[in-house]
Amino acid sequence: MTISEKISYIKGLAEGLKLDDTSKEGKILLSIIDLLDDMVDEIDAIDEACAEIGEQLDAVDEDLSLLEEDFYYDDDEDFDDDDYSDEDVYEVECPNCHDIIYLDEAMLEEEEMVCPNCNTRLEFEFDCDCDCDKDAE
């Protein structure tokens, strides 16, 4: 028996007893039954909202699965390590939140950025150890 059915049964019992709504006891019992009826309505509304949220969450989960398939590396696929050379990416640790940020040369040449984690302004100098003409510029 559901909660709605139980409160309907109790309401039927109260009507069958012909509770006197002018007596103190009758007023209290009828008020409690009305309160229980309101609570059942609220619970039903919450159940419906939870079911809707569950459906939306399932849809988001499906979308996320599709994105993961498209963007994350699959171990079964051939992986070309040459595309991700260590020379192309640099690690910088934010002094405020200690988050590791990965930068490429173009980002380093800007000499400053905002930490995506804590929004701290980061400044850095990039000294090239190679024999290129960057130092002459």
Side-chain angles (χ1 to χ4, degrees):
M1 189 181 266
T2 66
I3 295 175
S4 297
E5 292 169 341
K6 288 179 183 179
I7 192 63
S8 295
Y9 176 74
I10 291 172
K11 284 174 106 175
L13 286 175
E15 288 174 10
L17 290 174
K18 295 183 181 168
L19 291 176
D20 183 14
D21 61 354
T22 59
S23 70
K24 294 178 185 179
E25 295 83 9
K27 286 181 183 180
I28 289 174
L29 288 173
L30 291 173
S31 294
I32 290 172
I33 292 170
D34 287 341
L35 174 65
L36 290 173
D37 192 37
D38 292 343
M39 290 172 67
V40 167
D41 292 341
E42 288 294 321
I43 290 171
D44 288 342
I46 290 170
D47 285 344
E48 288 177 22
C50 286
E52 185 178 324
I53 289 171
E55 291 173 9
Q56 292 173 349
L57 185 60
D58 288 342
V60 168
D61 186 43
E62 288 177 26
D63 292 344
L64 181 59
S65 294
L66 293 173
L67 285 172
E68 287 173 343
E69 288 174 13
D70 289 343
F71 291 103
Y72 288 124
Y73 172 70
D74 186 6
D75 291 336
D76 297 336
E77 295 177 7
D78 293 332
F79 182 71
D80 187 6
D81 199 26
D82 294 336
D83 291 342
Y84 301 97
S85 170
D86 289 338
E87 297 172 12
D88 297 333
V89 179
Y90 302 92
E91 289 184 9
V92 174
E93 181 178 346
C94 175
N96 188 39
C97 68
H98 303 287
D99 190 27
I100 301 296
I101 305 164
Y102 298 95
L103 308 171
D104 60 11
E105 264 187 65
M107 295 168 80
L108 282 174
E109 288 175 1
E110 292 178 17
E111 297 181 357
E112 68 179 24
M113 68 174 293
V114 174
C115 175
N117 188 40
C118 68
N119 294 324
T120 300
R121 186 170 172 251
L122 305 174
E123 295 181 15
F124 39 82
E125 292 182 21
F126 179 64
D127 294 328
C128 184
D129 294 335
C130 64
D131 294 332
C132 64
D133 293 333
K134 287 184 181 179
D135 295 329
E137 291 178 11

